[in-house]
Amino acid sequence: LFFGRALSGAQIGALCHDIRGIIATDASDMPALGRALARFDDSQGRLRDRLQQLGRRPEWAGVRRRADVDALVGDATQAFDALLEGLELAAERSTDLAHCRDRAFALKDKWNLFEAGDATSHVRWLDTSVRNYVLHETPISVAEPFAARVAASEAAWIMTSATLAVAGRFEHFTRA
């Protein structure tokens, strides 16, 4: 999970809640922004409701191929793009709106997990609960990102595990 990415319905809900409050104080004269937020909040809510009906931990590729999920993801993506455009226009009004815009764009990067195609280097799965869902993407091998972290760091690394050595040798652990 350390080298993976995740997007949760709770993250999206928190962002929508915060934007709603800031629009009321800093952009109440921008009804299009409020409508874009309402559309996104509604569409992602419908997506969340559908995802929660699909079981506890389904593999994402199978879920994504469903026509109903595809339509809901497409609608929510269009609504999210419209919200991002509105936030971009409103961001100069206040630091709070600028902060929400930045959070929304960061979340949009994670949102792209919904639309990403099948990958041979990562596993994607959905984790659902009564109130939330989390879409995970985890690399199958952490060798390359871990080696890059170690190489970029000037820190000392101490590795401990009962399985670092096989037959008294560390080659399988040390090769990238």
Side-chain angles (χ1 to χ4, degrees):
L1 292 176
F2 182 80
F3 292 109
R5 297 187 301 166
L7 170 69
S8 74
Q11 289 173 306
I12 295 167
L15 176 67
C16 289
H17 177 267
D18 292 349
I19 293 171
R20 187 174 298 107
I22 293 168
I23 285 175
T25 58
D26 295 350
S28 60
D29 62 334
M30 296 182 76
L33 180 57
R35 286 190 300 273
L37 174 62
R39 180 176 170 228
F40 176 60
D41 198 20
D42 178 63
S43 62
Q44 70 86 22
R46 284 184 281 116
L47 175 62
R48 178 197 62 232
D49 293 345
R50 184 65 191 118
L51 293 177
Q52 289 172 324
Q53 298 170 2
L54 299 177
R56 181 83 173 100
R57 288 194 175 155
E59 192 239 339
W60 180 245
V63 170
R64 186 63 176 98
R65 284 191 291 269
R66 295 175 55 104
D68 58 340
V69 172
D70 183 58
L72 290 167
V73 167
D75 185 49
T77 299
Q78 288 177 353
F80 200 178
D81 290 342
L83 175 61
L84 290 170
E85 288 177 23
L87 286 170
E88 189 67 42
L89 293 172
E92 64 187 31
R93 290 177 168 233
S94 72
T95 56
D96 289 337
L97 279 167
H99 181 66
C100 281
R101 176 207 54 207
D102 295 345
R103 281 178 56 202
F105 274 97
L107 202 57
K108 177 63 171 159
D109 183 52
K110 290 181 179 183
W111 181 271
N112 292 332
L113 284 173
F114 278 125
E115 299 180 317
D118 293 340
T120 57
S121 61
H122 291 79
V123 175
R124 290 188 194 98
W125 79 95
L126 186 64
D127 192 2
T128 62
S129 66
V130 174
R131 293 193 174 120
N132 195 21
Y133 69 85
V134 182
L135 179 59
H136 296 273
E137 180 183 69
T138 304
I140 292 172
S141 171
V142 297
E144 286 184 31
F146 183 71
R149 273 285 157 104
V150 170
S153 172
E154 295 182 19
W157 292 77
I158 299 172
M159 308 293 172
T160 59
S161 173
T163 58
L164 285 178
V166 174
R169 302 177 59 99
F170 292 91
E171 283 83 15
H172 79 283
F173 179 75
T174 58
R175 74 179 161 211

